[in-house]
Amino acid sequence: MRGLDISKAYYEEYGRPMLEVEFPHLLPFLAVGAVGSGSDRYGYDDEVSRDHDFEPGFCIFLPGEDVVDRRAAFLLERAYAKLPKEFMGCKRQMMSPVGGNRNGVIRSAEFYEKTVGTPDGNLSTDAWLRLPDYALAEATNGEVFFDDYGEFTAIRLQLSEMPADIRLKRLAGNLLLMAQSGQYNYVRCLKHEEREAAQLAAVEYVRATMKVLFLLHHRYMPYYKWSFRALKEMEPELTEKLSFLLYGDATDAVAEEKYTVIEEIATAVISLLMEQDLTKAICGDLEKHAYSVNDRVSDANLRNLPVLAAV
C-alpha cells in the first residue's frame, strides 16, 4: 500500500476520532492531510524509499494564532504525539513530539512560507519567475483529507496553476535552451571531437525538454529524482527517447543516433506547441518557436525581459 494511503488510513482510524472526541471545538478551523516533502506525498514511495523519514502520520494544519492560539496548538501536539507508534507494519519516527518535520501540527502560514516563500501564497512576478518547480510541486502535492475552514485549500488552489504569462515565459526560455544545447551545441561538440562536452549538451537538452513537457501538461516538475517517473506517466514514448540520450557509448554510430533522437523529440515538442496554439513559427528550429512563444506573453514588461529570464 502506498504511503499516502497508509497516512489516510491512520488518520481515519486514529486521527479523526482523536480530533472529534478531544477537539470538537477546533475542528471547524483545522485542515488535515498528507502534503509536502517525501516520495510518499507523490505516490512514488517503495521499500527502498522507506529507509528514512517514512512513517504513518498526517499533518494538522492550523490558521493563525488569532483563530487557534498557542495553548490549543500545544494541546493538539500532545494529543498527536500520543497516537499509536506503529500502524500497518510502519513505525512512527521519534524525531520530535509532534511527529517529525513532515507530520504533526503545522501552521498553514509556516508550511507555505517554507515551501514557496510566502505565508499566504501570494507571489510577485519576480517570485514566480525564480521559484523552482519542485517547490511548487511540494506545496500542491499529496492529498487534503479534511478542510472545513478552507484557508489551507484556498492557498493550495491558488498555487496549483502558475499564471499564464509566467508559464509562457518559462516555456520560451526552456525551448531556447533546447535549441542551444540539442540542435546547435551537441553537433558542434561532436565536430570538435569533444564527446564529453557533447554528452553534457545532451544532458542539458534532456533537462530543458523535461521542463517544457511539464509546462505543456500544466504540471509542476517534482524534485529531480522523481521527475522521470512523473514524466513517464504523461509522455511514455518521449521519456524513452530522453532516457536514450542519457545512456549509450560514445561511438560515432551512437552519437549520430542521439542527434536523430534529439530532432525527433524536437519535432514532437513542436507538434505539442502547435496543438496548443502557442507558436506561429512554421519550421523545425526550436529557437524560432521559443521567440514565437515569448511573443505571446501579454505583459509587455515581462515579454521584454530576456527570453532566458525565467530559467
Side-chain angles (χ1 to χ4, degrees):
M1 181 180 285
R2 297 183 312 161
L4 195 59
D5 297 323
I6 293 172
S7 292
K8 190 170 186 178
Y10 185 73
Y11 162 69
E12 292 292 346
E13 187 161 341
Y14 297 112
R16 181 195 290 271
M18 177 267 288
L19 292 174
E20 290 177 345
V21 172
E22 299 181 41
F23 303 96
H25 59 296
L26 294 181
L27 273 177
F29 308 106
L30 307 180
V32 178
V35 181
S37 63
S39 59
D40 54 313
R41 304 293 152 94
Y42 296 93
Y44 297 152
D45 53 300
D46 53 26
E47 292 304 318
V48 175
S49 64
R50 296 183 182 187
D51 61 348
H52 67 95
D53 291 341
F54 183 87
E55 64 174 353
F58 53 89
C59 305
I60 303 174
F61 295 106
L62 310 183
E65 291 182 18
D66 57 326
V67 181
V68 177
D69 62 26
R70 291 186 182 184
R71 175 162 176 75
F74 172 72
L75 293 175
L76 277 167
E77 290 169 358
R78 289 187 61 182
Y80 183 89
K82 293 177 182 178
L83 294 177
K85 302 299 186 288
E86 187 169 346
F87 181 70
M88 299 182 71
C90 303
K91 292 185 178 181
R92 289 260 306 275
Q93 300 288 325
M94 302 305 293
M95 296 172 61
S96 83
V98 294
N101 294 326
R102 300 197 309 125
N103 294 314
V105 179
I106 307 169
R107 295 281 181 187
S108 296
E110 292 176 2
F111 173 82
Y112 287 114
E113 182 77 45
K114 178 182 177 182
T115 52
V116 301
T118 65
D120 57 4
N122 290 322
L123 299 173
S124 65
T125 297
D126 185 66
W128 274 113
L129 289 175
R130 306 298 176 194
L131 197 63
D133 267 24
Y134 68 78
L136 290 160
E138 188 172 302
T140 57
N141 67 6
E143 183 179 349
V144 176
F145 309 147
F146 171 86
D147 185 10
D148 278 359
Y149 193 57
E151 177 187 74
F152 185 85
T153 298
I155 300 173
R156 177 180 170 89
L157 290 174
Q158 179 180 329
L159 294 169
S160 64
E161 178 79 21
M162 68 176 57
D165 275 356
I166 301 297
R167 174 175 174 259
L168 289 171
K169 196 70 181 182
R170 287 193 176 197
L171 187 58
N174 283 291
L175 286 166
L176 186 57
L177 288 180
M178 285 180 67
Q180 291 177 344
S181 59
Q183 292 186 310
Y184 183 71
N185 282 328
Y186 180 78
V187 174
R188 286 181 63 84
C189 290
L190 288 178
K191 288 179 178 179
H192 285 295
E193 298 185 354
E194 297 177 355
R195 297 190 181 277
E196 297 86 356
Q199 184 57 29
L200 289 174
V203 170
E204 290 299 318
Y205 181 79
V206 169
R207 184 181 291 112
T209 302
M210 293 178 70
K211 291 182 178 180
V212 164
L213 291 172
F214 274 94
L215 287 163
L216 289 173
H217 282 273
H218 293 265
R219 284 184 59 180
Y220 296 131
M221 189 165 81
Y223 195 53
Y224 69 88
K225 65 179 178 179
W226 303 310
S227 57
F228 253 85
R229 180 168 178 173
L231 184 63
K232 192 172 184 179
E233 297 170 353
M234 301 184 297
E235 294 283 353
E237 292 184 11
L238 285 178
T239 303
E240 187 174 344
K241 291 179 183 294
L242 291 169
S243 181
F244 171 73
L245 296 180
L246 297 177
Y247 295 99
D249 56 37
T251 62
D252 290 340
V254 171
E256 291 179 10
E257 186 178 356
K258 284 187 176 182
Y259 183 70
T260 299
V261 170
I262 284 172
E263 287 297 339
E264 289 174 353
I265 293 169
T267 298
V269 166
I270 291 168
S271 294
L272 290 171
L273 291 170
M274 296 178 72
E275 286 174 13
Q276 296 187 27
D277 193 28
L278 295 175
T279 180
K280 298 300 182 185
I282 308 294
C283 64
D285 186 348
L286 284 168
E287 182 173 350
K288 290 183 171 59
H289 289 282
Y291 284 103
S292 182
V293 170
N294 190 73
D295 287 343
R296 296 180 66 92
V297 176
S298 60
D299 184 287
N301 291 327
L302 184 56
R303 183 173 62 251
N304 292 331
L305 288 176
V307 179
L308 295 175
V311 299

